[in-house]
Amino acid sequence: HVFSLNPTQTRKTIKIREVAMQSPDAPFTTKTHSDTTGLAVWSASVVFGRWIAKLSNDGMFVGESVMELGGGCGVPGISAAVYGEPKEVYITDLTASTLSNLDHNVSLNAVNYGGTVVTSGRVDWSDTSTYPQSKVDVAIGADLVYTDEIVPLLKKVLSGSVRSGG
């Protein structure tokens, strides 16, 4: 897919590869190691990517360190990198298959990052040893919570990964 997410910056686009999910009719599972939801481009990620691109017009991300949780295909994080001029963007997910596709999408868009350093990596919300070594200024994420059990883990990863006042 090719997305032009900011109408005031029509020359800037992001490219995203989407891969077929396993069990698309029942994609949500409690077994996180077999989760393939991150291989699909979800509507929420595109809407959020557009919102991030719009916020970028006001300089919201300039010079900041940004982490996307549950990045999947990476639309919001890549949008922040392409449109927002942050210092760095760290796009995260959990499963190997999702991270492989995410790595591809990060590389696919590298020509558009300017001076922004963009990386991807594995973060297990329940394992603090996988959190970024340095806390970030801004955390973003789209469509992260689809069961009640995830809420305490989201709170844990945010408090362990975002600097005070971020």
Side-chain angles (χ1 to χ4, degrees), residues 18-19 38 79 100 128 143 147:
E18 179 177 35
V19 180
S79 178
S100 176
T128 57
D143 222 0
T147 65

Side-chain angles (χ1 to χ4, degrees), residues 31-118:
K31 298 175 183 150
T32 56
H33 66 278
S34 61
D35 181 14
T36 62
T37 57
L39 298 175
V41 174
W42 294 86
S43 298
S45 71
V46 176
V47 171
F48 193 40
R50 285 185 178 154
W51 188 50
I52 287 170
K54 185 175 188 269
L55 291 173
S56 296
N57 290 338
D58 297 327
M60 180 172 184
F61 300 104
V62 173
E64 302 282 50
S65 59
V66 178
M67 176 177 65
E68 181 181 6
L69 294 169
C73 293
V75 174
I78 292 170
S79 178
V82 169
Y83 296 102
E85 300 178 32
K87 175 177 60 176
E88 61 185 344
V89 176
Y90 181 45
I91 308 172
T92 70
D93 215 290
L94 182 63
T95 65
S97 59
T98 298
L99 288 168
S100 176
N101 188 54
L102 178 56
D103 288 344
H104 174 84
N105 288 337
V106 166
S107 295
L108 189 62
N109 290 280
V111 69
N112 295 318
Y113 297 148
T116 300
V117 175
V118 182

